[in-house]
Amino acid sequence: MNLFRHFAGEVADVLGLLVAEGRLPEAVRSVRVAVEPPREAGHGDVATNAALLLAKDSGLAPRALAEMIAERLRSRPGVAAVEIAGPGFVNLRLADDFWRARLKEILLAGRAYGDSFAGGGEPVMVEFVSANPTGPMHVGHGRGAVVGDVLARLLAKAGYKVAREYWINDAGAQVEALARSLHWRYRAALGERLGAMPEGLYPGDYLIAPARALAERDGRRWLGVPESEWLEPCRAFAVAAMMELIRADLAALGVVIDTFRSERELIAQGGVDEALRVLGERGLIYTGVLEPPKGKPPEDWEPRPQTLFRSTQFGDDVDRPLRKSDGSWTYFATDAAYHLDKYRRGFGIMIDVWGADHGGYVKRVQAAVKALSGGQGALDVKLCQMVNLMDGGEPVKMSKRAGTFVGLAEVVERAGPDVFRFIMLTRKNDAPLEFDFARVLEQTKDNPVFYVQYAHARVRSVLRLAAETFGAEALAPESLARADFSRLTDSGEIALIRRMASWPRLIESAAETHEPHRVAYFLYDLAAEFHNLWNRGKDDARLRFIRPAAAEATLARLALVQAVGFVVASGLDVFGVTPVEEMR
RNA sequence: GACCCCGUAGCUCAGUUGGAUAGAGCACCAGCCUUCUAAGCUGGGGGCCGCAGGUUCGAAUCCUGCCGGGGUCGCCA
C-alpha cells in the first residue's frame, strides 16, 4: 500500500464533501493537490497543501479552509491527529496501529512488498545497450545495460508490462568494415602473410577466433574471390560471432533481453519504406538543401539536395536527412522506422537508453515518434554519462592501441556482477560516474554496496541466532506477523517502520520519473537507520533485538528485523542484486 | 554559432517531480569503543543552492538572460 496515495484518496473524498456542501466550487476537483511526507518529521507523517492551492478559488483564507479540511479528516481511520501549520498546511499524524498494520503488511508480502498496480499493465518498451555488433562490450555499455535492465525491473514492479529489446545495428558501413576485418583475419588464419592491418579495419584480436572458425567451416572458399562474393557471408558470420560475445557479456552481468531486433531485417521487411510512406502521407517529407554544419570547418561539405524530414515541426532544430548520397538510408531513417515498428507493436511508452554522446539525436528521434504516431507515442531517452574506471584513486589507463583497454567482462569478473550493478546505480544516469575497484570492494561504511548488503546479512544473522532459541517455526513471517507490535515503542523502531512504509511510494515515483538511482539512496538510508538501531543496542542492552528474558518483546523486534530484511531484499531485487546471507 | 547535460558544505553527491528550519558520506574537531559473529559508535562546526531578474501564498526545483565546466553538431553508427 502506498499510504500517500491512500490518504490522497481521503483528501479527495473530503474535498468532494465540501463541494457537495457548497463550501467549495465544483472546479476544485480538477486541481492537483499534493499529499506527501513533510520534510520535517516534526510536522507529522502526511501533509497536504490542498488548502493553499484551493484558497483562491474558494474565496476562503487558506487557514480557514485548512480547518474545514482538517475537521473532516480527523475521524478517518488511521489518523491520530490533524494540525494546521504554516500558511495553511494540513498535517496528519498517523496512529500507532496504522504503522503496526504496515509492519504486518510487509511480513505477509515478503520481497514482493512495494509491488504496485500504478502502471495499470500499460506496455512499455525499454530499449537498451544496442551496442554495435563490432566487438565486445566496454564499461560504458555496461552502465547502459544495468540502467536499462533495472529500469525495466522497476517498471515491472510498479505495474507496467515491460519488454526489453536490443537493437542490432547490422546494416551500416560499420558492419561492412567488420566483415572486411574478419576476412583479413581469415586470410591470416589460412597462412597468408599480410603485414600491418589496413586503416579502417577493427584491430581487436577478438576477431581471430571467429576467423579461425570461419576457416574451419568454409576452408579456402573465400580466398581469391572478389569482395562482392565474400562480403555478405563474412558480414553475417562476423555479426553472429560478435553478438555471441555481447550475449556472453550481458549474461555475465545478469542482464536479460527479451528480444533482439535486427536493423537489416527491419529494412528487408519494408519497415523504412513504410515509415517514409507515413511521413510522406502527412506531408512531412521534401527535397531540400541544408545549411552547412556549424562549428567544425566543413571540409568536404558541399550543398546537395536531399530527402528531408520536417522535424522542425516537432521541436527539432533543423530538418533531418533520410537518405545518404549513395541512396541508402541514414541512421536516422532506420531509427525512425524502428520506433514506428515499436509503436505498432503496441508500445505507446518507449524508453531508450543511450550513451551521452548520442545526445544530439534525441530531439530528432522524438520528433519522428511524434510524427509517426500522430502524437500518441511518447519517447523518453535516458542518456548515460561516462564511467571513469579508477583503481585506488588512480585512473585506469585505457588505450586500445597500447592493449591496456579494459573490457566490461574483465571489470565484471573482478568486481562481481552484484557490485558492478549496484555501483552503476549510485548516480543518476546523466551524471558521470566513478568506478574505483579499490573502493567498491572495500568493506567499510562509505561503500554503499557493502553497507546495504551488510544490513541484509545482519538481519539474517540475527534471525539465525534467534532460531536457536525460538525455533524456525516461530520465526516464519506469518508467525512474526502475529507478534505483539505494541512492544515496539522506541523512536528508532518507529522510524524504521515509517521508512519501510514509504517504499511503495518510492517505487512508484522512481518508476514514473524513470530514475532507478533513487532506489540506491533509499536502500542506503534504510540500511543506515537499521545499523543505527543495532548500534544503540551496544550501549543499551534493552534495545537489543534478542533479549532472552523478554520473549514477547524479542518476537516483536524480530518481526521488525525480518521486515527490514524483506524491504532490503525487495530493493536489491529491483537492482538484480542477490541479497547475501553473511559477509564471509 | 546552435543544441543537450551539469553547477548545492573543503571533497563526492542526494534533495520525494513547487512546500515549512536545504540533507548524507568523506575530511575536520571533541569524546567513547572487552558487545545480538563482524569490518566502529555518539556529538559538533561548516551553505549567497553559479549570478541577476521573473512567475506565486511559497523557488535549490519552473521561465528568461548571463557566467563557468562537459558533450554533440550533413553523406558515421
Side-chain angles (χ1 to χ4, degrees):
Chain A
M1 164 197 208
N2 178 341
L3 68 98
F4 299 96
R5 195 179 282 276
H6 169 75
F7 283 103
E10 298 282 56
V11 169
D13 196 46
V14 163
L15 295 177
L17 286 177
L18 289 169
V19 171
E21 291 168 22
R23 311 272 202 122
L24 284 176
E26 186 69 26
V28 306
R29 288 184 196 276
S30 62
V31 177
R32 204 171 133 245
V33 306
V35 178
E36 51 190 15
R39 215 173 261 188
E40 292 288 322
H43 291 141
D45 302 309
V46 177
T48 179
N49 60 359
L52 289 166
L53 294 180
L54 302 176
K56 194 173 275 181
D57 289 343
S58 67
L60 294 165
R63 289 189 66 105
L65 178 54
E67 186 48 57
M68 292 166 64
I69 294 169
E71 195 184 306
R72 287 160 181 77
L73 281 172
R74 282 199 180 92
S75 56
R76 302 280 160 155
V79 176
V82 185
E83 287 156 15
I84 295 158
F89 290 103
V90 177
N91 295 333
L92 309 189
R93 202 169 298 277
L94 303 183
D96 289 349
D97 279 344
F98 181 86
W99 296 119
R100 290 171 191 146
R102 299 287 71 71
L103 192 49
K104 184 173 180 180
E105 185 190 352
I106 297 166
L107 289 165
L108 296 180
R111 290 160 75 146
Y113 184 61
D115 285 7
S116 160
F117 297 107
E122 199 173 341
V124 183
M125 162 78 76
V126 184
E127 181 220 321
F128 61 109
V129 192
S130 299
N132 288 334
T134 54
M137 292 170 67
H138 60 247
V139 181
H141 293 132
R143 184 177 188 181
V146 172
V147 167
D149 184 50
V150 172
L151 201 42
R153 290 166 181 267
L154 177 62
L155 289 163
K157 192 172 178 69
Y160 291 88
K161 185 166 173 263
V162 186
R164 307 132 183 258
E165 192 159 279
Y166 184 121
W167 170 236
I168 309 173
N169 288 118
D170 52 3
Q174 302 212 350
V175 287
E176 287 195 3
L178 179 77
R180 293 193 185 96
S181 311
L182 177 73
H183 190 258
W184 192 87
R185 292 285 189 192
Y186 161 79
R187 287 163 62 199
L190 289 173
E192 282 192 39
R193 300 178 66 87
L194 297 168
M197 188 181 242
E199 280 293 303
L201 297 190
Y202 290 96
D205 53 13
Y206 50 80
L207 280 170
I208 294 175
R212 285 203 189 114
L214 179 66
E216 201 158 304
R217 190 190 74 175
D218 293 348
R220 307 179 73 80
R221 185 171 166 194
W222 311 115
L223 290 182
V225 297
E227 181 180 292
S228 57
E229 279 184 42
W230 57 254
L231 188 66
E232 174 52 28
C234 282
R235 187 205 56 76
F237 195 90
V239 168
M242 294 304 99
M243 285 311 294
E244 217 164 291
L245 282 183
I246 289 169
R247 280 174 200 262
D249 284 345
L250 289 171
L253 244 192
V255 169
V256 177
I257 306 277
D258 299 317
T259 46
F260 290 80
R261 188 81 171 106
S262 152
E263 179 184 11
R264 180 167 285 263
E265 200 174 282
L266 181 75
I267 294 170
Q269 290 165 348
V272 184
D273 298 299
E274 173 60 11
L276 261 77
R277 189 190 64 74
V278 172
L279 291 177
E281 214 168 56
R282 298 183 182 175
L284 297 172
I285 292 180
Y286 69 103
T287 302
V289 180
L290 286 177
E291 295 286 310
K294 300 279 166 55
K296 270 188 261 174
E299 288 161 26
D300 58 345
W301 193 90
E302 55 186 65
R304 82 172 81 234
Q306 327 184 64
T307 309
L308 299 172
F309 162 53
R310 293 188 193 280
S311 50
T312 46
Q313 285 193 11
F314 304 89
D316 200 1
D317 309 307
V318 291
D319 292 338
R320 302 295 177 176
L322 295 162
R323 254 183 220 283
K324 301 182 202 168
S325 51
D326 67 0
S328 64
W329 305 117
T330 59
Y331 176 77
F332 170 62
T334 53
D335 220 3
Y338 176 39
H339 284 83
L340 175 63
D341 178 64
K342 291 185 199 176
Y343 179 71
R344 289 204 172 158
R345 282 190 277 153
F347 297 99
I349 305 178
M350 297 167 246
I351 303 173
D352 290 3
V353 180
W354 297 351
D357 53 338
H358 292 60
Y361 283 80
V362 174
K363 279 191 186 180
R364 75 188 69 172
V365 179
Q366 281 176 333
V369 167
K370 272 186 223 162
L372 288 164
S373 70
Q376 297 301 298
L379 169 66
D380 185 20
V381 180
K382 307 303 283 183
L383 298 176
C384 292
Q385 281 287 351
M386 303 252 295
V387 176
N388 297 312
L389 264 195
M390 313 277 279
D391 199 351
E394 295 294 315
V396 174
K397 294 220 168 58
M398 296 274 275
S399 161
K400 280 187 178 172
R401 226 168 271 155
T404 54
F405 184 77
V406 182
L408 175 64
E410 293 169 74
V411 175
V412 172
E413 193 181 337
R414 186 165 160 203
D418 284 346
V419 165
F420 185 84
R421 293 180 70 109
F422 195 103
I423 296 293
M424 287 302 115
L425 295 156
T426 52
R427 290 283 176 274
K428 44 188 163 210
N429 57 280
D430 50 11
L433 172 68
E434 187 176 288
F435 187 91
D436 189 317
F437 281 110
R439 209 150 287 162
V440 301
L441 294 172
E442 209 168 60
Q443 303 213 334
T444 63
K445 185 179 175 179
D446 29 315
N447 178 1
V449 198
F450 167 78
Y451 199 55
V452 171
Q453 284 286 28
Y454 185 19
H456 190 267
R458 226 168 209 180
V459 165
R460 302 304 304 157
S461 170
V462 169
L463 292 173
R464 276 195 303 272
L465 184 68
E468 292 171 12
T469 309
F470 294 91
E473 207 169 305
L475 299 187
E478 314 81 66
S479 311
L480 290 175
R482 291 191 298 269
D484 180 9
F485 299 148
S486 66
R487 303 278 183 157
L488 301 173
T489 51
D490 183 79
S491 63
E493 295 169 336
I494 302 298
L496 212 38
I497 298 176
R498 286 196 174 124
R499 173 81 60 184
M500 292 191 283
S502 72
W503 174 235
R505 178 176 193 263
L506 187 115
I507 285 291
E508 289 179 9
S509 61
E512 271 165 39
T513 55
H514 306 160
E515 289 182 342
H517 74 278
R518 292 191 192 191
V519 173
Y521 286 92
F522 174 88
L523 287 175
Y524 186 86
D525 291 342
L526 176 62
E529 221 146 6
F530 177 67
H531 289 311
N532 209 355
L533 192 58
W534 167 286
N535 288 324
R536 285 176 57 215
K538 286 184 172 184
D539 295 333
D540 184 351
R542 287 169 306 176
L543 282 174
R544 295 193 181 183
F545 299 141
I546 299 175
R547 294 170 63 204
E552 291 292 313
T554 297
L555 283 171
R557 282 180 186 159
L558 291 175
L560 181 67
V561 168
Q562 174 64 82
V564 170
F566 280 147
V567 176
V568 171
S570 173
L572 290 176
D573 280 346
V574 172
F575 276 5
V577 171
T578 312
V580 297
E581 292 292 310
E582 54 186 352
M583 297 309 291
R584 267 200 321 127

